[in-house]
Amino acid sequence: MGLPRTRQEIVRLLRCHGDMTVRELAAALGLTPMSIRLHLNRLQREGLVTARLERQPVGRPHHRYRLTAAADALFPTNHCALADSLLTALRQQGGPDQVARLCQEALTALAAPYLVQTDRPLTERVQALVRCLQHLGFLLEVQETPADLRLRALNCPFTVVAEHHPELCQAEQALVTQALGAEIDGLTVERPEHRLHGDPCCTYRIRGPAPVPAPA
């Protein structure tokens, strides 16, 4: 999980029981309530735990603690295998065109909240594209030269799926091109480096009649 052992145990108990009080956690782990509160405070600051006040018929109210949705990331998932299996089934039933269409629609939907209209200044479109790719899980390195702007993706959140379904990579490049409004400004978007072709990373090279501005 990447958490200290005691906090791992707290998270495990909350996952198993739904919600618990400080006293219940302390009894389960053989620790003092003060120690449990310190760990819970840290988990709350990290956005992994939330609390609600529960009033009792008799006595003082107490807090019950539960995991937030963000804590789901602490547990193993199999999203990539599921996505791979779904696209494989779609390919078998509908062919590669169906896979390409679904990849394009899915990426467009994921990106929509972060992009701006293509009638906005190019600087804003570039900034929005970088934010969008970062939200999708890319670790980006931006390189600006007099000749072009390069976006180097040092990782790829889709590698496991894209290895079997290259349509996902094609949809990604189409998204970059559309998000920039390449046709409006006469931009050329190329991918001279591609992880699936053996390169260390994917790089988008963006060129235009005028220098392409790097995001602030």
Side-chain angles (χ1 to χ4, degrees):
M1 282 188 189
L3 295 172
R5 185 176 183 82
T6 299
R7 289 201 279 277
Q8 286 187 32
E9 288 300 311
I10 290 173
V11 167
R12 182 184 63 80
L13 285 168
L14 293 177
R15 174 63 80 192
C16 291
H17 297 282
D19 59 15
M20 298 178 72
T21 66
V22 168
R23 183 169 295 181
E24 289 168 345
L25 286 166
L29 295 176
L31 298 173
T32 66
M34 177 64 73
S35 176
I36 293 294
R37 285 192 180 91
L38 290 173
H39 287 293
L40 286 170
N41 287 341
R42 180 62 180 270
L43 289 169
Q44 283 184 291
R45 288 197 299 271
E46 294 174 354
L48 301 174
V49 165
T50 187
R52 63 178 177 85
L53 190 65
E54 183 177 75
R55 301 189 180 280
Q56 304 294 314
V58 179
R60 299 176 60 184
H62 56 238
H63 287 93
R64 298 196 70 86
Y65 294 84
R66 66 184 303 113
L67 298 179
T68 65
D72 288 343
L74 298 174
F75 297 90
T77 61
N78 210 10
H79 297 158
C80 288
L82 176 60
D84 188 19
S85 179
L86 288 171
L87 288 177
T88 297
L90 180 61
R91 184 182 302 280
Q92 292 170 349
Q93 296 179 22
D97 288 345
Q98 289 276 43
V99 174
R101 181 178 60 80
L102 181 62
C103 288
Q104 184 68 59
E105 291 178 357
L107 277 186
T108 299
L110 288 172
Y114 309 107
L115 300 179
V116 297
Q117 297 296 319
T118 52
D119 60 357
R120 302 300 299 167
L122 180 57
T123 302
E124 291 185 25
R125 282 177 267 150
V126 172
Q127 290 174 340
L129 173 62
V130 169
R131 286 196 304 269
C132 171
L133 293 174
Q134 289 171 337
H135 278 285
L136 290 177
F138 289 93
L139 177 62
L140 291 180
E141 181 179 272
V142 180
Q143 299 176 337
E144 185 179 18
T145 74
D148 57 33
L149 179 71
R150 298 192 178 209
L151 304 179
R152 300 184 72 236
L154 305 180
N155 71 314
C156 177
F158 310 132
T159 297
V160 174
V161 179
E163 285 177 345
H164 300 144
H165 306 285
E167 293 88 353
L168 187 54
C169 293
Q170 296 162 12
E172 179 193 306
Q173 184 166 356
L175 172 67
V176 171
T177 302
Q178 293 166 9
L180 289 172
E183 293 184 1
I184 296 174
D185 291 279
L187 303 178
T188 300
V189 179
E190 303 168 323
R191 183 159 46 189
E193 292 183 300
H194 195 175
R195 288 173 62 92
L196 294 188
H197 295 166
D199 296 310
C201 65
C202 285
T203 298
Y204 287 105
R205 183 186 184 194
I206 306 163
R207 294 181 295 169
V212 180

